[in-house]
Amino acid sequence: MTDITTKPRAKVRLKTERPRLHKVILLNDDYTPREFVVTGLRQIAASEGMVIAAGQEGKWKTALQLVGIVALLVHYQHEVDLWVWQGPVNFNAVGQVLTYLSVVFSLWSAGVYFRGFLHMLGRRGDGSGSAEA
């Protein structure tokens, strides 16, 4: 074996660039405060022996969020072939619209839940411990 040391003759310079910018949607901006409020109201109502039924608005909010998130994950435009319609679908745009709709339903369901809670507090003196929101 020989003790030969080789050195590279060319210097390599890495060219760095700024990364491309991306749009970011914060899904928790409306969801987390609403969940804290609704969870807090549930805790207070439960400690008072009251039960407030979950409304249909909250179920729609959850469905819109989940489908919107899936559409955002698919992200790109794809050809879709349904029984009644065939053509390109921009899943990113669909996901954004569904996410914004879920914000509307989130605020609506929080208002309905809060109204139901206030209604329950008003009826608390009547001796009835449960009611629909």
Side-chain angles (χ1 to χ4, degrees), residues 1-72:
M1 288 215 146
T2 61
D3 294 330
I4 300 175
T5 306
T6 58
K7 295 183 181 179
R9 294 183 184 178
K11 290 187 178 182
V12 177
R13 285 192 181 194
L14 297 177
K15 183 177 181 182
T16 59
E17 296 178 3
R18 290 190 82 135
R20 292 185 358 208
L21 299 179
H22 296 279
K23 290 182 183 178
V24 175
I25 296 176
L26 298 175
L27 297 175
N28 284 338
D29 262 7
D30 72 302
Y31 183 72
T32 302
R34 177 210 176 266
E35 286 302 311
F36 283 141
V37 168
V38 170
T39 301
L41 291 177
R42 280 189 186 135
Q43 293 292 331
I44 293 170
S47 70
E48 296 290 325
M50 297 183 284
V51 177
I52 303 172
Q56 189 65 34
E57 305 84 15
K59 295 172 184 172
W60 276 103
K61 176 215 44 121
T62 302
L64 288 169
Q65 274 184 336
L66 293 177
V67 174
I69 288 170
V70 169
L72 287 171

